[in-house]
Amino acid sequence: MANQLLTDLGVLVSYWKLYKSMGISKDLVRGTLEHGYKVLDTYRYMIESINPGRAVYNIMTSNIVESVNSLFGDEREFSIMAMFEKISEKYSDFFKERRVQFKCPEKRTRFVLKIKKKISMNISLEKRLFSHKIANYKFRITGHGDAATVYLQTRSCTWRVFDLDKIPCPHAMATLQAQYGNKYGPEVYDHSSQYYSVEKYEMIYIRHITPVPSEESWVVLVELMGRLIPSPYIHPSTIKSGRNPYKRRNGVGESFLSRRNKCSICKCVGHKRTTWQIIIHHDRCNCSNLCCCVFVCCGLLYI
């Protein structure tokens, strides 16, 4: 940035001035930390009044904390009110993507795509199983050294996969085929939970998230104006000089594969030429010319 200003405008500015001016510009655009906490309660009132009702959404991921942290990496440096605005904007985009996902009539299905793939996989696995009818809607499934008992009326299997996933497992697929014949396809969806259907999926994201207007147009109660939330106190001794760290640190029990060094001489992994102890032997001469020297690395000789 300093070199760009020097080239374009002919002005020499230090790095510290650029860093401070960048912080002042961010405060002017996004607001300061103190102001964000000052109007936080008022902001909560406005977002609840614009979006009436209370809905709880569960965005299921493999690790929701890490997913949200990586999603809002830059926004975590904003003031608290600007950060909430960015989070609201991001989730509003998510809801819009979910709503338009199944609008195309050609691609519309009864169940969501991920569940359809799982059902297709279970259908292919049930072809290797054998069914034996014990009673009405009760079958014993064998094959490949395992056995299971399936109850179609209660939608349960002794392997408990059908009970937990609410989708017919391979044992239940074999039972449906034995009960209803080869045209048992519609029965698979009837014996699955309707929470996997496209209609239920669309109902979850049918609501819209309306953003909060500018602060000048807020209309709030008088008692909320006098209710102030102080910003968190930071002891001066805990403030460190320099930039705030952006990269996350490894938690307790976490281990990540680090890039291992490779020696450019012996091509071994675990060290490199500059840090490994290299023994230099002169080949019976007193000169300091490296051409006369022999390098010993990992027990190998290099002239």
Side-chain angles (χ1 to χ4, degrees):
M1 181 66 73
N3 296 332
Q4 185 177 358
L5 289 176
L6 182 61
T7 304
D8 298 342
L9 303 177
V11 180
L12 181 60
V13 184
S14 63
Y15 174 81
W16 176 249
K17 286 186 178 180
L18 289 174
Y19 180 75
K20 294 296 291 184
S21 60
M22 182 179 63
I24 295 173
S25 302
K26 289 181 179 179
D27 292 341
L28 292 175
V29 175
R30 303 165 183 163
T32 60
L33 177 65
E34 292 77 11
H35 177 73
Y37 277 95
K38 182 179 179 181
V39 298
L40 181 59
D41 199 17
T42 310
Y43 176 81
R44 177 197 58 80
Y45 173 80
M46 287 299 301
I47 197 171
E48 288 181 354
S49 60
I50 295 175
N51 300 276
R54 187 171 184 269
V56 179
Y57 300 97
N58 188 8
I59 308 299
M60 296 301 295
T61 59
S62 58
N63 192 334
I64 188 171
V65 176
E66 294 299 328
S67 300
V68 173
N69 285 341
S70 61
L71 187 63
F72 303 105
D74 298 333
E75 287 77 2
R76 286 186 294 171
E77 302 299 325
F78 296 176
S79 62
I80 186 168
M81 195 168 63
M83 181 181 65
F84 285 156
E85 284 293 323
K86 286 295 182 179
I87 293 175
S88 176
E89 179 182 348
K90 182 66 70 174
Y91 278 98
S92 180
D93 294 339
F94 284 162
F95 283 18
K96 181 181 177 181
E97 293 176 3
R98 302 298 192 275
R99 286 193 296 268
V100 303
Q101 187 174 1
F102 298 100
K103 291 297 182 182
C104 184
E106 292 80 6
K107 298 182 179 179
R108 189 173 182 87
T109 57
R110 186 172 177 180
F111 276 17
V112 295
L113 182 59
K114 186 176 181 180
I115 302 302
K116 285 200 65 177
K117 291 181 178 179
K118 191 170 184 178
I119 289 176
S120 300
M121 182 182 66
N122 291 342
I123 290 176
S124 62
L125 292 176
E126 65 89 10
K127 297 178 181 179
R128 307 174 185 178
L129 302 176
F130 303 96
S131 59
H132 174 69
K133 189 172 183 180
I134 301 175
N136 195 17
Y137 298 104
K138 182 179 180 181
F139 288 80
R140 180 173 177 82
I141 309 300
T142 58
H144 298 284
D146 57 356
T149 304
V150 180
Y151 304 87
L152 286 181
Q153 285 186 332
T154 59
R155 299 182 183 182
S156 61
C157 176
T158 54
W159 280 46
R160 303 290 295 170
V161 178
F162 191 14
D163 307 57
L164 299 177
D165 291 346
K166 304 300 180 182
I167 303 173
C169 61
H171 303 113
M173 292 292 184
T175 303
L176 291 174
Q177 185 182 19
Q179 180 70 25
Y180 299 100
N182 293 328
K183 298 182 179 180
Y184 67 97
E187 298 295 334
V188 175
Y189 297 99
D190 294 338
H191 286 77
S192 302
S193 176
Q194 295 304 310
Y195 285 105
Y196 299 120
S197 63
V198 175
E199 289 77 9
K200 295 290 184 180
Y201 188 85
E202 290 178 338
M203 289 178 60
I204 297 175
Y205 301 100
I206 197 172
R207 300 186 60 180
H208 297 76
I209 301 178
T210 307
V212 178
S214 60
E215 189 175 347
E216 292 77 13
S217 60
W218 289 0
V219 180
V220 297
L221 301 176
V222 180
E223 54 267 21
L224 290 178
M225 299 295 295
R227 188 185 303 172
L228 303 179
I229 299 177
S231 58
Y233 174 73
I234 301 176
H235 197 271
S237 61
T238 60
I239 300 177
K240 298 181 180 180
S241 59
R243 288 184 175 183
N244 295 327
Y246 289 94
K247 295 183 179 180
R248 65 177 297 272
R249 298 179 179 178
N250 298 347
V252 178
E254 288 183 320
S255 60
F256 297 95
L257 295 177
S258 59
R259 182 179 178 182
R260 302 186 65 182
N261 297 322
K262 185 176 181 180
C263 183
S264 60
I265 300 178
C266 64
K267 309 303 180 183
C268 295
V269 179
H271 67 276
K272 55 185 179 179
R273 175 176 178 174
T274 57
T275 58
W276 189 257
Q277 184 179 2
I278 300 177
I279 307 174
I280 302 176
H281 297 279
H282 289 278
D283 189 14
R284 298 180 181 180
C285 66
N286 296 324
C287 68
S288 59
N289 191 358
L290 292 180
C291 296
C292 302
C293 298
V294 178
F295 292 84
V296 180
C297 182
C298 297
L300 302 177
L301 297 179
Y302 299 91
I303 300 176

